Amino acid sequence: MKNALIATLSTHERTLISHLNKPYTELTEATGLEEATLVKTLLSLETKGLLILKTTKKTLIDTGVNGIRYARTGLPERKLLSILKPHHPLPLLEAQKVAGLSENEYNVSLGILKSKGMISLDQGAIVLTASPAECMKKTLEEQLIEKLPLVKETLTPELVPACIALHKRKDIIELKEHTERSYTLTPLGKELAGTTIESNVLEEVTPELIRNWQGAKQFRAYDLSLPVAPLTGGKRHFVNEAIEKAVRIWTDMGFTEMTGTMIDNEFWVFDALYTPQDHPGREMQDTFFLPLTRPLPETKLIKRVQQAHEQGIVGSTGWQYTWSPKKAQQAVLRTHTTSLSARTVATLKTDNLPAKYFAIGKVFRNETVDWSHGFEFYQTEGIVIDEKATFCHLLGYLTEFYTKMGFEKIKFVPSFFPYTEPSVEIQVWHPSKKIWLELGGAGIFRPEVSAALIGKPIPILAWGQGFDRIIMDAYKITDLRDMYRNNLKQIRTIPRGGLHG
Amino acid sequence: MAKVQFTTQALAKNLSLTPKAIEEIQNMGIPAELTPEGLEVEALANRPDLYSLQGFVRAVQLYLGKRKPVDYPVLKPEKIHRIIIKPEVAEVRPFTVGAIIRDLTITSDILETLIDIQEKLHKTIGRKRKKCAIGMYPAEKIAFPLTFTAKKPKDITFTPLGATKTFTAEEILTTHPTGKEYAHLLEKAQKYPLFIDATGAILSMPPIINSADTGQITIATKQLFIECSGNHLPTLHNVLALLTTLCAELGGTIHGITIEREKETSITPQLTYTKKPFSLEHANALLGTNITEKELPKLCEKMGHRYEKGQIATPPWRIDIMHEVDLIEDIAIAYGYEKLIPTLPSFATTGNESDKRKQERKITDLLIGLELQEITTYHAITEEEKNKYHLKALVMEGAKTEYKYLRPNLLIPALRVYHENKDVSYPQNFFEIGTVFDEQGTECTHLLITASPGTITHMQQVVAYLTEQLQFPLVLKSHPTPLSIPGRSALIIHNKKEIGYAGEIHPSTLKNAGLKMPLSILELDITEFLNQKA
């Protein structure tokens, strides 16, 4: 134990131990260490259980630059007092000249004497009110200056206000923090104190040391139980880490990524998805509108979409209203990534089927912000375009994805969206909260959507779930706002791969 | 979507809220939750028939097999029960439909039900009365036949509900609380719509308000007259069907009204079942099931429909059936989603990430190697930020938070991040890859790299490193840039094109931003790099 301890001692510590039978005040000289190094070394020996360091902080009062001068010439108020005579009021302007005081000194002196009740001012003249005996007596300030240097903590109570008053004035006194140290040895310290330990131990391995290595030298052992400064490495933001994981799952499942702009027109965000133009979701209350328009696609497609809305296509009754191409041009921030799916489907040729696509992207809703809502969030989107696709396949793809994301129990319940039928809502079991989490919607694109986009009512399995809730859950974040706050302490320390491995 | 509360007491007569029953309700696709008061239900937008207790009970009892779909007979209108639509109203609110309800004892509970359903339908499918406004009147106080017409505002005077004296139309729209709320619906109208009875009395001025004399139903009301007016006839029929079938469920009888419009006459409400062709083969193919024709009638009845060989007849209160797929979904719900087996098809496709993502990852990997921390910020900036840095940015209209403009660069959000973390340990070296927007809404992908503390030399090194590693030539050209120290800032040039800037941020900018550590940055449009084949 003792030997193991000795092995960890640094050169300074070894030197210091040989002098530990001396009082603190002699240590600097005895060891040749600078005070700062000495204190550090003592602290280190304290943690190693050799001694207890006692530190007392004191405030030393000493004379300042002006204080030294006034000690010689007297304080300004004394000068002023000395030229005043009883029953001879002295005009203010004259008094300053006679006393030979600077403007500042004069004003201070007037204030002090007035506050002590030794003078009063009457019609622009100074009247001495103090008795000659009072004038003779030294003021508390003068008494204090005479006694300097003093330790503030030892001042008699009547001198404390004088000290405060003088400290307020320019450079008359100085207050200095002064630390007094001493130490007492522990039994282990007593055992080692004064002993000479081989102090020529090696610290760092340097190129020079390697070059000159001759063997048989001792390295100091490091105490590995001591805390070290933390590292902060370069790291992906956990939100993007989670997205990368989801991207990998979709590509593993044979899906191709779709990309596109966040600004799009209402045509692709709503109309192509059979959402009627008076749908409440298309109002400013829910959607961010931009003071822009974006051109519509080719005429055939517009006509099919218009017909789907106005009188219905492929056996549908349609929404039965007059569809406005002008409204369809209005630019918005996409409210879902399904606009990317619509654009992708519109470019497909039926002989390229089956095809599978995914996207993970930001979507925007005009919401106020709180712990569970934001005005932008991620959505994970997918479509499967396949003549033989079934609703059970849709459930199959979603089960596969969410199982790979780490959810063990998945449930499907009926739901409603304007552009899918049948529609379904995905719920996953949260084992620790013991609740079903609602993740979002999916379904088969309505024939009014698919027939308008590719000219034929081919089944298109489609889904678009909010992704932020999953990220929050995986990284144990309780406030959605933390995902975009970039609190460094959080993003530096949040464990990598929090998304279920 | 509407949240609807049903008290345990009200439900008790028809439904016991056992865990099994709650589960079945959820299987119907109706989010339902037990509360201390009873049951809270979310009626989705396609099912306004669930907004009332009676409608909800009807749907659940059908689903549980406790009742069969019923007909709602409409009795032949009496001769005087007519509404004559005048051409004057065509421009402002062209359509109306109506019905008379008799034999309904209006208790205070029923009165509350009627007012509540009216409000919910107004809000949802009525699109806040724009598409459909509902009026309910004590029929015994009205002299039929009625005229639906429109008059100039100055020629309209009556006592509106909630008032004791007569108002002009203008006064109603400017001083009456309901009038003020809905005045915008008549904003551009030259003439305002009116229901006028045979004596010339004004019954109501839709979609704003009824008359206090004849337009308020109470528990003393013996016969109910219901009208719906608006600009979309199919919606009016749907709303009237929902209201009249509800009244029938409450115990009333439904009597028709003749609607005369120019030379056409029709009788409303129209409460027959609507037949649509239905192919079981389609249904099984789309769902991936093996449902037999024998099972079909029962599955249909669970959702309120009737199956008749190759056809499904839909009740008038199911207003959401537009296409065969809607019926297929109903069959799936009746069959039970929980019985559907998730299956993966056997065909193979190859997956692929976008080139954009692959290219971005090249950059990301390099920057993490340089020990930079990735940040990810909002795509929007605040009004204050926009003004402070004199930026041009595209406005997000009507934004409800302080973030009102799309970000024109990544630096401003990063300064926000530095401010947020000003007391966290340094160095703080960040990067972000993200979309930025100009005033025309053009989107570019930018790369931002920051070092704090950091110098322009640091950024020179990064530029050289990226040039080498990405094989994407970037050259710094000394040039003053906003916010940076002159002589320590540069444009970043790629093949003679300016694509970014680098600089040591000026202390005055840092102080102004509330930051205390030196900061150097570079911001670069990497759209061209991302468009390269990965």
Side-chain angles (χ1 to χ4, degrees):
Chain A
M1 160 74 198
K2 202 172 80 185
N3 288 340
L5 173 80
I6 289 171
T8 71
L9 296 173
S10 69
T11 310
H12 287 335
E13 287 169 339
R14 287 163 198 246
T15 310
L16 182 56
I17 283 174
S18 63
H19 296 287
L20 272 187
N21 36 23
K22 296 176 182 133
Y24 177 84
T25 43
E26 290 173 25
L27 286 180
T28 343
E29 210 187 320
T31 58
L33 296 174
E34 303 240 339
E35 171 123 19
T37 315
L38 177 68
V39 173
K40 226 173 109 186
T41 314
L42 280 165
L43 282 169
S44 165
L45 288 181
E46 185 174 37
T47 59
K48 287 176 181 170
L50 269 71
L51 53 87
I52 295 156
L53 188 65
K54 197 179 160 211
T55 305
T56 323
K57 286 223 155 94
K58 284 182 180 158
T59 314
L60 202 64
I61 314 169
D62 208 346
T63 348
V65 184
N66 289 333
I68 296 168
R69 188 157 60 88
Y70 293 146
R72 225 172 41 239
T73 64
L75 285 167
E77 59 265 38
R78 175 59 63 191
K79 283 190 191 166
L80 179 59
L81 199 60
S82 65
I83 61 159
L84 297 174
K85 293 189 186 103
H87 318 301
H88 281 86
L90 199 56
L92 276 167
L93 288 172
E94 203 186 323
Q96 185 185 350
K97 265 187 230 156
V98 178
L101 294 175
S102 74
E103 183 78 27
N104 185 37
E105 285 175 329
Y106 182 55
N107 286 335
V108 171
S109 304
L110 282 175
I112 289 169
L113 294 178
K114 241 171 75 183
S115 71
K116 286 182 188 291
M118 298 178 82
I119 61 166
S120 67
L121 297 183
D122 187 28
Q123 294 171 5
I126 311 172
V127 182
L128 183 67
T129 51
S131 67
E134 276 175 315
C135 292
M136 291 295 290
K137 229 172 91 184
K138 279 186 180 153
T139 63
L140 290 170
E141 285 84 353
E142 285 167 328
Q143 292 175 33
L144 181 75
I145 290 173
E146 276 180 5
K147 287 182 189 152
L148 292 181
L150 280 169
V151 173
K152 194 178 168 204
E153 285 75 12
T154 62
L155 280 186
T156 51
E158 81 266 15
L159 285 181
V160 172
C163 175
I164 296 168
L166 283 175
H167 190 49
K168 280 184 191 154
R169 294 167 68 178
K170 196 169 188 285
D171 293 336
I172 298 181
I173 58 168
E174 277 177 10
L175 300 183
K176 286 183 212 156
E177 291 294 320
H178 176 74
T179 311
E180 275 181 16
R181 291 195 179 83
S182 63
Y183 65 92
T184 51
L185 291 171
T186 62
L188 178 65
K190 278 180 190 151
E191 200 182 316
L192 289 172
T195 58
T196 310
I197 305 165
E198 168 60 64
S199 65
N200 192 12
V201 288
L202 295 173
E203 290 283 340
E204 266 179 82
V205 179
T206 61
E208 197 197 352
L209 182 83
I210 299 167
R211 206 165 47 243
N212 302 326
W213 185 253
Q214 293 183 333
K217 281 209 180 167
Q218 200 193 348
F219 279 94
R220 180 165 77 84
Y222 290 162
D223 181 355
L224 303 182
S225 66
L226 294 176
V228 291
L231 280 185
T232 51
K235 229 175 129 204
R236 293 219 73 173
H237 191 285
F238 62 89
V239 167
N240 287 328
E241 184 181 281
I243 288 170
E244 288 284 285
K245 166 151 181 164
V247 167
R248 203 164 58 241
I249 296 174
W250 288 127
T251 52
D252 284 354
M253 286 169 68
F255 284 75
T256 295
E257 188 173 18
M258 308 181 274
T259 56
T261 57
M262 297 178 188
I263 297 175
D264 212 336
N265 56 24
E266 290 199 51
F267 182 85
W268 291 110
V269 179
F270 298 117
D271 295 291
L273 295 165
Y274 195 56
T275 306
Q277 291 190 322
D278 73 342
H279 190 276
R282 298 182 67 161
E283 285 171 19
M284 204 189 271
Q285 202 56 22
D286 291 316
T287 301
F288 286 117
F289 287 84
L290 305 170
L292 304 168
T293 57
R294 288 280 190 264
L296 296 181
E298 48 111 4
T299 329
K300 266 192 199 161
L301 178 55
I302 304 170
K303 283 274 170 269
R304 288 201 297 265
V305 168
Q306 177 164 18
Q307 203 191 341
H309 282 249
E310 291 188 345
Q311 64 260 9
I313 51 173
V314 288
S316 165
T317 51
W319 292 114
Q320 304 176 48
Y321 71 103
T322 310
W323 183 81
S324 154
K326 192 168 166 249
K327 177 154 176 68
Q329 289 172 40
Q330 171 65 47
V332 295
L333 283 173
R334 67 183 179 206
T335 59
H336 49 194
T337 40
T338 318
S339 53
L340 298 177
S341 293
R343 281 180 171 276
T344 303
V345 173
T347 61
L348 280 179
K349 307 228 159 32
T350 43
D351 42 355
N352 294 341
L353 304 182
K356 286 148 63 177
Y357 295 93
F358 81 98
I360 297 177
K362 268 281 170 70
V363 301
F364 300 82
R365 306 269 168 95
N366 194 0
E367 296 245 19
T368 52
V369 174
D370 63 28
W371 71 272
S372 66
H373 289 89
F375 58 82
E376 57 175 78
F377 59 90
Y378 278 102
Q379 204 167 49
T380 169
E381 174 85 16
I383 42 171
V384 175
I385 311 99
D386 172 17
E387 299 262 14
K388 296 198 189 82
T390 72
F391 194 56
C392 285
H393 293 162
L394 173 70
L395 306 188
Y397 286 117
L398 293 169
T399 303
E400 184 72 10
F401 177 72
Y402 285 105
T403 306
K404 283 176 188 268
M405 287 300 287
F407 295 103
E408 283 170 11
K409 274 160 76 184
I410 297 154
K411 189 165 93 171
F412 298 103
V413 292
S415 193
F416 170 73
F417 308 100
Y419 42 94
T420 55
E421 194 80 12
S423 303
V424 59
E425 152 126 355
I426 299 112
Q427 300 184 352
V428 292
W429 180 250
H430 194 291
S432 55
K433 285 187 196 152
K434 300 210 184 317
I435 49 163
W436 288 98
L437 286 179
E438 293 174 8
L439 290 186
I444 301 179
F445 272 161
R446 294 188 65 95
E448 295 94 331
V449 176
S450 52
L453 290 174
I454 26 178
K456 203 175 153 190
I458 294 174
I460 299 174
L461 312 180
W463 54 90
Q465 284 97 41
F467 198 59
D468 292 27
R469 208 54 75 81
I470 300 174
I471 299 175
M472 277 174 77
D473 183 49
Y475 290 91
K476 299 192 171 56
I477 289 166
T478 49
D479 189 329
L480 189 78
R481 287 167 290 199
D482 281 347
M483 293 188 33
Y484 304 107
R485 191 171 279 154
N486 299 285
N487 177 331
L488 257 191
K489 278 185 192 145
Q490 182 188 40
I491 58 179
R492 276 175 175 170
T493 56
I494 203 162
R496 207 206 161 278
L499 208 68
H500 307 287
Chain B
M1 192 180 73
K3 281 212 166 158
V4 200
Q5 309 273 352
F6 303 126
T7 63
T8 318
Q9 200 191 355
L11 281 169
K13 286 172 226 153
N14 310 292
L15 274 180
S16 57
L17 295 175
T18 58
K20 175 84 187 132
I22 305 282
E23 200 187 319
E24 288 284 17
I25 292 167
Q26 285 165 344
N27 286 344
M28 291 171 72
I30 307 175
E33 214 179 303
L34 276 177
T35 64
E37 295 77 38
L39 192 67
E40 188 181 277
V41 165
E42 262 178 49
L44 301 178
N46 60 331
R47 292 294 300 270
D49 60 293
L50 303 176
Y51 293 170
S52 68
L53 174 77
Q54 291 68 25
F56 174 74
V57 167
R58 174 175 58 199
V60 176
Q61 288 185 336
L62 281 163
Y63 191 78
L64 298 176
K66 291 192 175 155
R67 67 185 266 183
K68 297 258 171 198
V70 294
D71 285 307
Y72 297 96
V74 179
L75 300 171
K76 210 176 151 223
E78 285 179 27
K79 224 174 184 159
I80 58 159
H81 284 161
R82 280 180 295 145
I83 301 175
I84 299 123
I85 303 177
K86 295 281 189 190
E88 284 85 347
V89 82
E91 257 176 46
V92 45
R93 218 164 168 80
F95 304 111
T96 185
V97 294
I100 304 273
I101 304 294
R102 284 182 183 155
D103 308 311
L104 179 64
T105 316
I106 298 184
T107 60
S108 57
D109 277 354
I110 291 181
L111 188 63
E112 204 181 305
T113 301
L114 292 173
I115 291 167
D116 182 65
I117 188 78
Q118 182 179 7
E119 215 169 273
K120 288 204 170 79
L121 292 173
H122 270 156
K123 240 185 229 166
T124 53
I125 46 177
R127 302 284 193 256
K128 295 174 188 146
R129 302 193 189 184
K130 190 177 170 194
K131 212 170 178 181
C132 169
I134 302 162
M136 295 196 203
Y137 314 77
E140 63 268 24
K141 287 194 182 174
I142 298 173
F144 283 89
L146 310 181
T147 317
F148 185 43
T149 185
K151 284 189 179 173
K152 287 191 179 141
K154 64 177 174 55
D155 298 332
I156 302 172
T157 316
F158 67 101
T159 312
L161 272 183
T164 47
K165 64 170 189 76
T166 60
F167 280 60
T168 65
E170 257 133 18
E171 282 169 341
I172 290 173
L173 296 192
T174 51
T175 63
H176 192 284
T178 319
K180 283 196 282 190
E181 192 180 344
Y182 295 100
H184 64 278
L185 295 175
L186 293 178
E187 211 170 44
K188 286 174 196 144
Q190 301 292 317
K191 292 178 175 177
Y192 294 172
L194 289 174
F195 278 100
I196 298 173
D197 80 358
T199 68
I202 291 176
L203 302 185
S204 67
M205 183 172 83
I208 312 295
I209 199 155
N210 284 10
S211 139
D213 306 324
T214 53
Q216 186 164 28
I217 51 166
T218 65
I219 49 169
T221 302
K222 300 267 180 314
Q223 291 180 43
L224 204 56
F225 164 56
I226 305 175
E227 54 73 14
C228 304
S229 71
N231 55 16
H232 191 242
L233 190 56
T235 300
L236 304 186
H237 281 299
N238 285 338
V239 170
L240 190 64
L242 290 167
L243 288 169
T244 51
T245 56
L246 168 62
C247 289
E249 292 287 336
L250 289 167
T253 54
I254 307 165
H255 301 257
I257 281 189
T258 308
I259 309 288
E260 297 181 16
R261 186 162 182 255
E262 292 171 28
K263 279 167 197 149
E264 293 167 37
T265 65
S266 58
I267 293 169
T268 64
Q270 295 165 359
L271 301 181
T272 50
Y273 278 55
T274 314
K275 287 179 185 167
K276 259 194 188 302
F278 179 82
S279 153
L280 181 60
E281 199 187 330
H282 279 175
N284 276 325
L286 193 68
L287 295 175
T289 49
N290 291 307
I291 296 167
T292 62
E293 195 169 2
K294 221 178 118 196
E295 295 170 87
L296 261 188
K298 206 179 148 209
L299 293 176
C300 284
E301 283 172 10
K302 282 180 83 171
M303 304 306 286
H305 309 293
R306 287 169 177 156
Y307 180 72
E308 298 161 22
K309 210 136 192 64
Q311 282 194 323
I312 289 179
T314 299
W317 48 272
R318 283 299 304 274
I319 65 162
D320 56 316
I321 308 296
M322 303 177 119
H323 189 274
E324 190 188 29
V325 283
D326 297 296
L327 297 169
I328 294 176
E329 184 190 68
D330 270 16
I331 297 300
I333 294 172
Y335 180 77
Y337 275 24
E338 72 283 2
K339 283 191 225 145
L340 299 173
I341 300 158
T343 322
L344 280 181
S346 55
F347 68 84
T349 52
T350 50
N352 208 348
E353 294 175 333
S354 62
D355 286 340
K356 179 172 183 275
R357 184 174 300 280
K358 290 178 196 165
Q359 291 289 83
E360 276 183 17
R361 192 177 294 122
K362 287 181 190 168
I363 301 175
T364 310
D365 285 352
L366 291 172
L367 297 180
I368 285 170
L370 295 179
E371 297 191 9
L372 269 59
Q373 168 68 51
E374 185 182 35
I375 57 173
T376 173
T377 56
Y378 286 132
H379 285 76
I381 59 168
T382 65
E383 179 119 48
E384 194 193 335
E385 287 168 337
K386 178 184 175 278
N387 295 337
K388 191 167 175 182
Y389 298 103
H390 312 291
L391 301 168
K392 286 181 177 156
L394 186 59
V395 66
M396 298 146 72
E397 288 172 352
K400 289 175 193 162
T401 71
E402 57 185 325
Y403 293 91
K404 294 191 190 311
Y405 295 88
L406 286 169
R407 64 183 181 195
N409 62 43
L410 296 179
L411 175 61
I412 302 308
L415 289 177
R416 200 187 303 140
V417 175
Y418 273 111
H419 188 260
E420 176 87 15
N421 292 293
K422 61 176 190 243
D423 296 321
V424 183
S425 69
Y426 292 82
Q428 297 182 1
N429 300 339
F430 301 148
F431 78 94
E432 176 165 18
I433 295 176
T435 304
V436 301
F437 308 79
D438 70 11
E439 269 187 305
Q440 284 72 48
T442 311
E443 293 175 34
C444 294
T445 308
H446 274 199
L447 164 65
L448 175 83
I449 297 175
T450 64
S452 181
T455 63
I456 185 70
T457 314
H458 194 130
M459 291 301 137
Q460 283 178 282
Q461 290 176 299
V462 172
V463 165
Y465 183 64
L466 292 181
T467 298
E468 173 199 278
Q469 292 293 314
L470 300 174
Q471 294 286 293
F472 189 74
L474 299 169
V475 180
L476 287 183
K477 185 179 140 198
S478 189
H479 191 277
T481 62
L483 313 185
S484 292
I485 300 173
R488 297 190 194 174
S489 62
L491 296 174
I492 301 174
I493 314 286
H494 167 71
N495 292 347
K496 295 183 182 162
K497 213 173 107 195
E498 233 176 70
I499 61 163
Y501 60 95
E504 244 177 81
I505 302 294
H506 200 282
S508 67
T509 310
L510 294 173
K511 193 177 172 202
N512 201 12
L515 303 181
K516 55 187 187 185
M517 272 294 207
L519 173 66
S520 66
I521 60 131
L522 74 80
E523 180 161 5
L524 177 69
D525 184 347
I526 54 169
T527 313
E528 190 186 324
F529 176 74
L530 299 183
N531 287 340
Q532 290 179 359
K533 196 99 191 112

